[in-house]
Coordinates of all heavy atoms in Angstrom, one line a residue:
M1 N -9.6 17.3 12.5 CA -10.9 16.9 12.1 C -11.1 15.4 12.2 O -10.3 14.7 11.6 CB -11.2 17.4 10.7 CG -12.5 17.0 10.1 SD -12.6 17.6 8.4 CE -14.1 16.8 7.9
S2 N -12.0 14.9 12.8 CA -12.3 13.5 13.0 C -13.3 13.1 11.9 O -14.3 13.7 11.7 CB -12.8 13.2 14.4 OG -13.0 11.9 14.5
I3 N -13.0 11.9 11.3 CA -13.9 11.4 10.3 C -14.7 10.2 10.9 O -14.1 9.4 11.6 CB -13.0 10.9 9.1 CG1 -12.3 12.1 8.4 CG2 -13.9 10.2 8.1 CD1 -11.4 11.8 7.3
A4 N -15.9 10.2 10.7 CA -16.8 9.2 11.2 C -16.4 7.8 10.8 O -15.9 7.5 9.7 CB -18.3 9.4 10.8
E5 N -16.4 6.8 11.7 CA -16.0 5.4 11.5 C -16.7 4.9 10.3 O -16.1 4.2 9.4 CB -16.3 4.6 12.7 CG -15.9 3.1 12.6 CD -14.4 3.0 12.4 OE1 -13.6 3.7 13.0 OE2 -14.0 2.0 11.7
S6 N -18.0 5.1 10.1 CA -18.7 4.6 8.9 C -18.2 5.1 7.6 O -18.4 4.5 6.6 CB -20.2 4.9 9.1 OG -20.4 6.3 9.1
A7 N -17.6 6.3 7.6 CA -17.1 6.8 6.3 C -15.9 6.0 5.7 O -15.7 6.1 4.5 CB -16.6 8.3 6.6
W8 N -15.3 5.2 6.5 CA -14.2 4.4 6.1 C -14.6 3.1 5.3 O -13.8 2.4 4.7 CB -13.2 4.0 7.2 CG -12.6 5.2 7.9 CD1 -13.0 5.8 9.0 CD2 -11.5 5.9 7.4 NE1 -12.2 6.9 9.3 CE2 -11.3 7.0 8.3 CE3 -10.6 5.7 6.3 CZ2 -10.2 7.9 8.1 CZ3 -9.6 6.6 6.2 CH2 -9.4 7.7 7.1
D9 N -15.9 2.8 5.4 CA -16.4 1.6 4.8 C -16.8 1.8 3.3 O -17.4 2.8 3.0 CB -17.7 1.1 5.5 CG -17.4 0.7 7.0 OD1 -16.3 0.2 7.2 OD2 -18.3 0.8 7.8
G10 N -16.4 0.9 2.5 CA -16.8 0.9 1.1 C -16.1 2.0 0.2 O -16.6 2.4 -0.8
I11 N -14.9 2.4 0.7 CA -14.2 3.5 -0.1 C -13.2 2.9 -1.1 O -12.5 3.7 -1.8 CB -13.6 4.6 0.8 CG1 -12.5 4.0 1.7 CG2 -14.7 5.3 1.6 CD1 -11.8 5.0 2.5
E12 N -13.0 1.6 -1.1 CA -12.1 1.0 -2.1 C -12.5 1.4 -3.5 O -13.7 1.4 -3.8 CB -12.1 -0.5 -1.9 CG -11.4 -1.0 -0.6 CD -12.4 -1.0 0.6 OE1 -13.6 -0.6 0.4 OE2 -11.9 -1.4 1.7
G13 N -11.5 1.8 -4.3 CA -11.8 2.2 -5.6 C -11.9 3.7 -5.8 O -11.9 4.2 -7.0
L14 N -12.1 4.5 -4.7 CA -12.1 5.9 -4.9 C -10.8 6.5 -5.2 O -9.7 6.0 -4.8 CB -12.6 6.6 -3.6 CG -14.1 6.4 -3.2 CD1 -14.4 7.2 -1.9 CD2 -15.0 6.8 -4.3
D15 N -10.8 7.6 -6.0 CA -9.6 8.3 -6.3 C -9.1 9.1 -5.1 O -9.9 9.6 -4.3 CB -9.8 9.2 -7.5 CG -10.0 8.5 -8.8 OD1 -9.5 7.4 -8.9 OD2 -10.7 9.1 -9.7
V16 N -7.8 9.3 -5.0 CA -7.2 10.0 -3.9 C -6.5 11.2 -4.5 O -5.6 11.1 -5.4 CB -6.2 9.1 -3.1 CG1 -5.5 9.9 -2.0 CG2 -6.9 7.9 -2.6
F17 N -6.8 12.4 -3.9 CA -6.2 13.7 -4.4 C -5.5 14.4 -3.2 O -5.9 14.3 -2.1 CB -7.4 14.6 -4.9 CG -8.0 14.1 -6.1 CD1 -9.0 13.2 -6.1 CD2 -7.6 14.6 -7.3 CE1 -9.6 12.7 -7.3 CE2 -8.1 14.2 -8.5 CZ -9.2 13.3 -8.5
T18 N -4.5 15.2 -3.6 CA -3.8 16.0 -2.7 C -4.7 17.3 -2.4 O -5.7 17.5 -3.1 CB -2.5 16.5 -3.2 OG1 -2.7 17.3 -4.4 CG2 -1.6 15.4 -3.5
S19 N -4.4 18.1 -1.4 CA -5.1 19.3 -1.1 C -5.2 20.3 -2.2 O -6.1 21.1 -2.3 CB -4.6 19.9 0.2 OG -3.2 20.2 0.0
D20 N -4.2 20.2 -3.2 CA -4.2 21.1 -4.3 C -4.6 20.4 -5.6 O -4.3 20.8 -6.7 CB -2.8 21.7 -4.5 CG -1.6 20.7 -4.5 OD1 -1.9 19.6 -4.2 OD2 -0.5 21.1 -4.8
E21 N -5.5 19.3 -5.4 CA -6.2 18.7 -6.4 C -5.4 17.9 -7.4 O -5.8 17.7 -8.6 CB -7.2 19.6 -7.1 CG -8.1 20.3 -6.1 CD -9.2 21.1 -6.8 OE1 -9.4 21.0 -8.0 OE2 -9.8 22.0 -6.1
E22 N -4.3 17.4 -7.0 CA -3.5 16.5 -7.9 C -3.8 15.0 -7.5 O -3.8 14.6 -6.3 CB -2.0 16.7 -7.6 CG -1.5 18.0 -8.1 CD -1.4 18.1 -9.6 OE1 -1.3 17.1 -10.3 OE2 -1.4 19.2 -10.1
K23 N -4.2 14.2 -8.5 CA -4.6 12.8 -8.2 C -3.3 12.0 -8.0 O -2.3 12.1 -8.8 CB -5.3 12.2 -9.4 CG -5.7 10.8 -9.1 CD -6.5 10.2 -10.3 CE -6.7 8.7 -10.1 NZ -7.4 8.1 -11.2
I24 N -3.2 11.3 -6.8 CA -2.1 10.5 -6.6 C -2.3 9.0 -6.8 O -1.4 8.2 -6.8 CB -1.4 10.7 -5.2 CG1 -2.4 10.4 -4.1 CG2 -1.0 12.2 -5.1 CD1 -1.7 10.3 -2.7
G25 N -3.6 8.6 -6.8 CA -3.9 7.2 -7.0 C -5.3 6.8 -6.6 O -6.2 7.7 -6.6
E26 N -5.5 5.5 -6.3 CA -6.8 5.0 -6.0 C -6.7 4.1 -4.7 O -5.7 3.4 -4.6 CB -7.2 4.1 -7.2 CG -8.6 3.5 -7.1 CD -8.9 2.7 -8.3 OE1 -9.0 3.3 -9.4 OE2 -9.1 1.5 -8.2
V27 N -7.7 4.2 -3.9 CA -7.8 3.4 -2.7 C -7.9 1.9 -3.1 O -8.8 1.5 -3.8 CB -8.9 3.8 -1.8 CG1 -9.0 2.8 -0.5 CG2 -8.8 5.2 -1.3
R28 N -6.9 1.1 -2.7 CA -7.0 -0.3 -2.9 C -7.6 -1.1 -1.7 O -8.3 -2.0 -1.9 CB -5.6 -0.8 -3.2 CG -5.4 -2.3 -3.3 CD -5.0 -2.6 -4.7 NE -4.8 -4.0 -4.8 CZ -4.6 -4.6 -5.9 NH1 -4.6 -3.9 -7.0 NH2 -4.5 -5.9 -6.0
Q29 N -7.3 -0.5 -0.5 CA -7.7 -1.2 0.7 C -7.7 -0.3 1.9 O -6.8 0.6 1.9 CB -6.8 -2.4 1.0 CG -7.1 -3.3 2.2 CD -6.1 -4.4 2.3 OE1 -5.2 -4.6 1.5 NE2 -6.2 -5.1 3.4
V30 N -8.5 -0.4 2.9 CA -8.5 0.3 4.1 C -7.9 -0.7 5.1 O -8.4 -1.8 5.3 CB -9.8 0.8 4.6 CG1 -9.7 1.4 6.0 CG2 -10.4 1.8 3.6
I31 N -6.8 -0.3 5.8 CA -6.1 -1.2 6.7 C -6.4 -0.7 8.1 O -6.2 0.5 8.4 CB -4.6 -1.2 6.4 CG1 -4.3 -1.7 5.0 CG2 -3.9 -2.1 7.5 CD1 -2.9 -1.3 4.5
R32 N -6.8 -1.6 9.0 CA -6.9 -1.3 10.4 C -5.9 -2.2 11.2 O -6.1 -3.4 11.3 CB -8.4 -1.6 10.9 CG -9.4 -0.7 10.3 CD -10.8 -1.1 10.6 NE -11.8 -0.1 10.2 CZ -12.4 -0.2 9.0 NH1 -12.2 -1.2 8.2 NH2 -13.3 0.7 8.7
P33 N -4.9 -1.6 11.7 CA -3.8 -2.4 12.4 C -4.4 -3.1 13.6 O -5.2 -2.6 14.3 CB -2.8 -1.3 12.9 CG -3.1 -0.1 12.0 CD -4.5 -0.1 11.7
P34 N -4.0 -4.4 13.8 CA -4.6 -5.2 14.9 C -4.3 -4.6 16.2 O -5.0 -4.8 17.2 CB -3.9 -6.6 14.7 CG -2.8 -6.4 13.7 CD -3.0 -5.1 13.0
D35 N -3.2 -3.9 16.4 CA -2.8 -3.3 17.7 C -3.5 -2.0 17.9 O -3.5 -1.5 19.1 CB -1.3 -3.1 17.8 CG -0.7 -2.2 16.8 OD1 -1.3 -2.0 15.7 OD2 0.3 -1.6 17.1
D36 N -4.2 -1.4 16.9 CA -4.9 -0.2 17.1 C -6.1 -0.1 16.1 O -6.0 0.6 15.1 CB -4.0 1.1 17.0 CG -4.7 2.4 17.3 OD1 -5.9 2.4 17.7 OD2 -4.0 3.4 17.1
P37 N -7.1 -0.9 16.2 CA -8.2 -0.9 15.2 C -9.0 0.4 15.0 O -9.7 0.5 14.1 CB -9.1 -2.0 15.7 CG -8.8 -2.2 17.2 CD -7.4 -1.7 17.4
A38 N -8.8 1.4 15.9 CA -9.4 2.7 15.7 C -8.6 3.5 14.6 O -9.2 4.5 14.1 CB -9.5 3.4 17.0
Q39 N -7.4 3.1 14.4 CA -6.6 3.8 13.4 C -6.8 3.2 12.0 O -7.1 2.0 11.9 CB -5.1 3.8 13.7 CG -4.3 4.6 12.7 CD -2.9 4.7 13.1 OE1 -2.3 3.9 13.8 NE2 -2.2 5.8 12.7
H40 N -6.7 4.0 10.9 CA -6.9 3.5 9.6 C -5.8 4.0 8.7 O -5.2 5.1 8.9 CB -8.2 4.1 9.0 CG -9.4 3.9 9.8 ND1 -9.7 4.7 10.9 CD2 -10.4 3.0 9.7 CE1 -10.9 4.3 11.4 NE2 -11.3 3.2 10.7
F41 N -5.4 3.1 7.8 CA -4.4 3.5 6.8 C -5.1 3.2 5.4 O -5.8 2.2 5.3 CB -3.2 2.6 6.8 CG -2.3 3.0 8.0 CD1 -2.5 2.4 9.2 CD2 -1.2 3.9 7.8 CE1 -1.7 2.8 10.3 CE2 -0.4 4.2 8.9 CZ -0.6 3.6 10.1
L42 N -4.9 4.1 4.5 CA -5.3 3.8 3.1 C -4.2 3.2 2.3 O -3.1 3.8 2.3 CB -5.7 5.1 2.4 CG -6.9 5.9 3.0 CD1 -7.1 7.2 2.2 CD2 -8.1 5.1 3.1
L43 N -4.4 2.1 1.8 CA -3.4 1.5 0.8 C -3.8 2.1 -0.5 O -4.9 1.8 -1.0 CB -3.5 0.0 0.8 CG -2.6 -0.7 -0.2 CD1 -1.2 -0.3 -0.2 CD2 -2.8 -2.2 -0.1
V44 N -2.9 3.0 -1.0 CA -3.2 3.7 -2.3 C -2.4 3.1 -3.4 O -1.1 3.0 -3.3 CB -2.9 5.2 -2.1 CG1 -3.2 5.9 -3.4 CG2 -3.8 5.8 -1.0
E45 N -3.0 2.6 -4.4 CA -2.3 2.2 -5.6 C -1.9 3.5 -6.4 O -2.7 4.3 -6.8 CB -3.2 1.4 -6.5 CG -2.5 0.8 -7.7 CD -3.5 -0.2 -8.4 OE1 -4.2 -1.0 -7.8 OE2 -3.5 -0.1 -9.7
A46 N -0.6 3.7 -6.5 CA -0.1 5.0 -6.9 C -0.3 5.2 -8.4 O -0.2 4.3 -9.2 CB 1.4 5.0 -6.7
G47 N -0.7 6.4 -8.7 CA -0.8 6.9 -10.1 C 0.5 7.5 -10.5 O 1.6 7.4 -9.8
E48 N 0.5 8.3 -11.6 CA 1.7 8.9 -12.1 C 2.5 9.8 -11.1 O 3.7 9.7 -10.9 CB 1.4 9.7 -13.3 CG 1.3 8.9 -14.6 CD 1.1 9.8 -15.8 OE1 1.8 10.9 -15.9 OE2 0.3 9.5 -16.6
L49 N 1.7 10.6 -10.4 CA 2.4 11.5 -9.4 C 3.1 10.8 -8.3 O 4.3 11.0 -8.1 CB 1.4 12.5 -8.8 CG 1.9 13.6 -7.9 CD1 2.8 14.5 -8.7 CD2 0.7 14.4 -7.3
A50 N 2.5 9.8 -7.7 CA 3.1 9.1 -6.7 C 4.2 8.1 -7.2 O 5.1 7.8 -6.5 CB 2.0 8.3 -5.9
A51 N 4.0 7.6 -8.4 CA 5.0 6.7 -9.0 C 6.4 7.4 -9.1 O 7.4 6.8 -9.2 CB 4.5 6.2 -10.4
L52 N 6.4 8.7 -9.2 CA 7.6 9.5 -9.2 C 8.4 9.2 -7.9 O 9.6 9.5 -7.9 CB 7.4 11.0 -9.4 CG 6.7 11.4 -10.7 CD1 6.4 12.9 -10.7 CD2 7.6 11.1 -11.9
L53 N 7.8 8.8 -6.9 CA 8.5 8.5 -5.6 C 9.2 7.1 -5.7 O 9.9 6.8 -4.7 CB 7.4 8.5 -4.5 CG 6.7 9.8 -4.3 CD1 5.6 9.6 -3.2 CD2 7.6 10.9 -4.0
G54 N 9.0 6.4 -6.7 CA 9.6 5.1 -6.8 C 8.9 4.0 -6.1 O 9.5 2.9 -5.8
T55 N 7.6 4.1 -5.9 CA 6.8 3.0 -5.3 C 5.5 2.9 -6.0 O 4.9 3.9 -6.5 CB 6.7 3.3 -3.8 OG1 5.9 2.2 -3.2 CG2 5.9 4.6 -3.5
S56 N 4.9 1.7 -6.0 CA 3.6 1.6 -6.6 C 2.5 1.6 -5.6 O 1.3 1.6 -5.9 CB 3.5 0.2 -7.3 OG 3.7 -0.8 -6.4
R57 N 2.8 1.7 -4.3 CA 1.8 1.8 -3.3 C 2.2 2.7 -2.1 O 3.4 2.8 -1.8 CB 1.4 0.4 -2.7 CG 2.5 -0.3 -2.1 CD 2.1 -1.7 -1.7 NE 3.1 -2.3 -0.9 CZ 3.0 -3.5 -0.3 NH1 2.0 -4.2 -0.5 NH2 4.0 -3.9 0.5
L58 N 1.2 3.3 -1.6 CA 1.4 4.3 -0.4 C 0.5 3.8 0.7 O -0.6 3.4 0.5 CB 1.1 5.7 -0.9 CG 1.9 6.3 -2.0 CD1 1.3 7.6 -2.5 CD2 3.4 6.4 -1.6
F59 N 1.0 4.0 1.9 CA 0.2 3.7 3.1 C -0.1 5.1 3.8 O 0.8 5.6 4.5 CB 0.9 2.8 4.0 CG 1.2 1.5 3.4 CD1 2.4 1.2 2.7 CD2 0.3 0.4 3.5 CE1 2.7 0.0 2.1 CE2 0.5 -0.8 2.9 CZ 1.7 -1.0 2.2
V60 N -1.2 5.6 3.6 CA -1.6 7.0 4.1 C -2.3 6.8 5.4 O -3.4 6.3 5.4 CB -2.4 7.8 3.0 CG1 -2.7 9.2 3.6 CG2 -1.7 7.8 1.7
P61 N -1.8 7.4 6.5 CA -2.5 7.3 7.8 C -3.7 8.2 7.8 O -3.8 9.2 7.1 CB -1.4 7.7 8.8 CG -0.5 8.5 8.0 CD -0.5 8.0 6.6
D62 N -4.7 7.8 8.6 CA -5.9 8.6 8.7 C -5.7 10.1 9.1 O -6.5 10.9 8.7 CB -7.0 7.9 9.6 CG -6.5 7.6 11.0 OD1 -5.4 8.1 11.4 OD2 -7.2 6.8 11.7
E63 N -4.7 10.4 9.9 CA -4.4 11.8 10.3 C -4.1 12.7 9.1 O -4.1 13.9 9.2 CB -3.4 11.9 11.4 CG -2.0 11.4 11.0 CD -1.7 10.0 11.5 OE1 -2.6 9.3 11.9 OE2 -0.5 9.7 11.5
D64 N -3.7 12.0 7.9 CA -3.4 12.8 6.7 C -4.6 12.9 5.8 O -4.5 13.4 4.7 CB -2.2 12.2 6.0 CG -0.9 12.4 6.9 OD1 -0.8 13.5 7.5 OD2 -0.1 11.5 6.9
V65 N -5.8 12.4 6.2 CA -7.0 12.4 5.3 C -7.8 13.6 5.8 O -8.2 13.7 6.9 CB -7.8 11.1 5.4 CG1 -9.1 11.3 4.7 CG2 -7.0 9.9 4.9
L66 N -8.0 14.6 4.8 CA -8.8 15.8 5.1 C -10.3 15.5 5.1 O -11.0 15.8 5.9 CB -8.4 16.9 4.2 CG -9.1 18.2 4.3 CD1 -8.8 18.8 5.7 CD2 -8.7 19.2 3.2
S67 N -10.7 14.7 4.0 CA -12.1 14.4 3.9 C -12.3 13.2 3.0 O -11.5 12.9 2.1 CB -12.9 15.6 3.3 OG -12.5 15.8 2.0
I68 N -13.4 12.5 3.3 CA -13.9 11.4 2.5 C -15.2 11.8 1.8 O -16.2 12.1 2.6 CB -14.1 10.1 3.3 CG1 -12.7 9.7 3.9 CG2 -14.7 9.0 2.5 CD1 -12.8 8.5 4.9
E69 N -15.2 12.0 0.5 CA -16.4 12.4 -0.2 C -17.0 11.3 -1.0 O -16.4 10.2 -1.0 CB -16.0 13.6 -1.1 CG -15.4 14.8 -0.3 CD -15.0 16.0 -1.1 OE1 -15.3 16.0 -2.3 OE2 -14.4 16.9 -0.5
T70 N -18.1 11.5 -1.6 CA -18.8 10.4 -2.3 C -18.0 9.8 -3.5 O -18.1 8.7 -3.8 CB -20.2 10.8 -2.8 OG1 -20.0 11.9 -3.6 CG2 -21.1 11.1 -1.6
D71 N -17.2 10.7 -4.1 CA -16.4 10.3 -5.3 C -14.9 10.4 -5.2 O -14.2 10.1 -6.1 CB -16.9 11.1 -6.5 CG -16.6 12.6 -6.3 OD1 -16.4 13.1 -5.2 OD2 -16.6 13.3 -7.3
R72 N -14.4 10.8 -4.0 CA -13.0 11.0 -3.8 C -12.5 11.1 -2.4 O -13.3 11.4 -1.5 CB -12.5 12.2 -4.6 CG -13.1 13.5 -4.1 CD -12.6 14.8 -4.8 NE -12.9 14.7 -6.2 CZ -12.3 15.4 -7.1 NH1 -11.4 16.3 -6.8 NH2 -12.6 15.3 -8.4
I73 N -11.2 10.9 -2.2 CA -10.6 11.2 -0.9 C -9.7 12.4 -1.1 O -9.0 12.4 -2.1 CB -9.7 10.0 -0.4 CG1 -10.5 8.7 -0.5 CG2 -9.1 10.2 0.9 CD1 -11.6 8.5 0.5
I74 N -9.7 13.3 -0.1 CA -8.8 14.5 -0.2 C -7.9 14.4 1.0 O -8.3 14.3 2.1 CB -9.6 15.8 -0.2 CG1 -10.5 15.8 -1.5 CG2 -8.7 17.0 -0.3 CD1 -11.5 17.0 -1.5
L75 N -6.6 14.5 0.7 CA -5.6 14.5 1.7 C -5.2 15.9 2.2 O -5.4 16.9 1.5 CB -4.3 13.8 1.2 CG -4.5 12.4 0.6 CD1 -3.2 11.9 0.1 CD2 -5.1 11.5 1.7
D76 N -4.7 15.9 3.4 CA -4.3 17.2 4.0 C -2.9 17.5 3.7 O -2.1 17.8 4.6 CB -4.6 17.2 5.5 CG -4.5 18.5 6.2 OD1 -4.5 19.5 5.4 OD2 -4.3 18.6 7.4
T77 N -2.5 17.2 2.5 CA -1.1 17.3 2.0 C -1.1 17.8 0.6 O -1.9 17.3 -0.2 CB -0.4 16.0 2.1 OG1 -0.5 15.5 3.4 CG2 1.0 16.0 1.7
S78 N -0.2 18.7 0.3 CA -0.1 19.2 -1.1 C 0.8 18.2 -2.0 O 1.5 17.4 -1.4 CB 0.6 20.6 -1.2 OG 1.9 20.5 -0.8
A79 N 0.7 18.4 -3.3 CA 1.5 17.5 -4.2 C 3.0 17.7 -3.9 O 3.7 16.7 -4.0 CB 1.2 17.8 -5.6
N80 N 3.4 18.9 -3.5 CA 4.8 19.1 -3.3 C 5.3 18.4 -2.0 O 6.5 18.3 -1.8 CB 5.1 20.6 -3.1 CG 5.0 21.3 -4.4 OD1 5.1 20.8 -5.5 ND2 4.7 22.6 -4.3
A81 N 4.4 17.9 -1.2 CA 4.8 17.3 0.1 C 4.5 15.8 0.2 O 4.5 15.3 1.3 CB 4.1 18.1 1.3
I82 N 4.2 15.2 -0.9 CA 3.9 13.7 -0.8 C 5.1 12.8 -0.7 O 5.0 11.6 -0.6 CB 2.9 13.3 -1.9 CG1 3.6 13.3 -3.3 CG2 1.6 14.0 -1.8 CD1 2.9 12.6 -4.3
N83 N 6.3 13.4 -0.9 CA 7.5 12.6 -0.8 C 7.7 12.3 0.7 O 8.6 12.8 1.4 CB 8.7 13.3 -1.4 CG 9.9 12.4 -1.5 OD1 9.8 11.2 -1.2 ND2 11.0 13.0 -2.0
R84 N 6.9 11.4 1.3 CA 6.9 11.1 2.7 C 7.4 9.7 2.9 O 6.7 8.7 2.5 CB 5.5 11.2 3.2 CG 4.8 12.6 2.9 CD 4.7 13.5 4.1 NE 4.4 12.8 5.3 CZ 3.2 12.9 6.0 NH1 2.2 13.6 5.4 NH2 3.0 12.3 7.1
P85 N 8.6 9.4 3.5 CA 9.0 8.1 3.8 C 8.0 7.3 4.6 O 7.9 6.1 4.4 CB 10.3 8.3 4.5 CG 10.7 9.7 4.3 CD 9.5 10.4 4.0
D86 N 7.3 7.9 5.5 CA 6.4 7.2 6.4 C 5.2 6.6 5.5 O 4.5 5.7 6.0 CB 5.9 8.0 7.5 CG 5.2 9.3 7.1 OD1 5.6 9.9 6.1 OD2 4.2 9.7 7.8
W87 N 4.9 7.2 4.4 CA 3.9 6.6 3.5 C 4.3 5.4 2.7 O 3.4 4.8 2.1 CB 3.4 7.7 2.6 CG 2.5 8.8 3.2 CD1 2.3 9.0 4.5 CD2 1.8 9.8 2.5 NE1 1.5 10.1 4.7 CE2 1.1 10.6 3.5 CE3 1.6 10.1 1.2 CZ2 0.3 11.6 3.1 CZ3 0.8 11.1 0.8 CH2 0.2 11.9 1.8
T88 N 5.6 5.1 2.7 CA 6.0 3.9 1.9 C 6.2 2.7 2.8 O 6.5 1.6 2.3 CB 7.3 4.3 1.1 OG1 8.3 4.6 2.1 CG2 7.1 5.4 0.1
T89 N 6.1 2.9 4.1 CA 6.3 1.8 5.1 C 4.9 1.2 5.5 O 4.1 2.0 6.0 CB 7.0 2.3 6.3 OG1 8.2 2.9 5.9 CG2 7.3 1.2 7.3
P90 N 4.7 -0.1 5.3 CA 3.4 -0.7 5.7 C 3.3 -0.5 7.2 O 4.2 -0.6 8.0 CB 3.6 -2.1 5.3 CG 4.7 -2.2 4.3 CD 5.6 -1.0 4.7
P91 N 2.0 -0.4 7.7 CA 1.8 -0.3 9.1 C 2.1 -1.7 9.8 O 2.0 -2.7 9.1 CB 0.3 0.0 9.2 CG -0.3 -0.3 7.9 CD 0.8 -0.2 6.9
V92 N 2.4 -1.7 11.0 CA 2.7 -2.9 11.8 C 1.5 -3.8 11.7 O 0.3 -3.4 11.8 CB 2.9 -2.5 13.3 CG1 3.0 -3.8 14.1 CG2 4.2 -1.7 13.4
G93 N 1.7 -5.1 11.4 CA 0.7 -6.1 11.3 C 0.1 -6.2 9.9 O -0.7 -7.1 9.7
F94 N 0.6 -5.4 8.9 CA 0.0 -5.5 7.6 C 0.7 -6.7 6.9 O 2.0 -6.7 6.7 CB 0.3 -4.2 6.8 CG -0.2 -4.3 5.3 CD1 -1.5 -4.5 5.0 CD2 0.7 -4.3 4.3 CE1 -2.0 -4.6 3.7 CE2 0.3 -4.4 3.0 CZ -1.1 -4.6 2.7
G95 N 0.0 -7.7 6.5 CA 0.6 -8.9 5.9 C 0.4 -9.0 4.4 O 0.6 -10.0 3.9
G96 N -0.1 -8.0 3.8 CA -0.3 -8.0 2.4 C -1.7 -7.8 2.1 O -2.5 -7.4 2.9
E97 N -2.1 -8.1 0.8 CA -3.5 -7.8 0.4 C -4.4 -9.0 0.5 O -4.0 -10.1 0.5 CB -3.4 -7.3 -1.1 CG -2.6 -6.1 -1.2 CD -2.4 -5.6 -2.6 OE1 -3.4 -5.5 -3.3 OE2 -1.3 -5.4 -3.0

């Protein structure tokens, strides 16, 4: 499922939920890597569930976003499957906040 480019604008502050409705955190920033500006990563400030992974921030690639709604982001991943090493690695070219 492709998400419209305009949907990525202004989503900072939205809560992020797994597909089974567990809140994992809040969108802090949308990152567009300089080498591939069509791709998006959500920098998620981790809540309690994600903090169990030992990190305070997650980098969720756009291919793992199921939908962007007016009040939340829903991921195409269950709470049992968020232990993803690729989500703890910043995208290439990310220099901080």
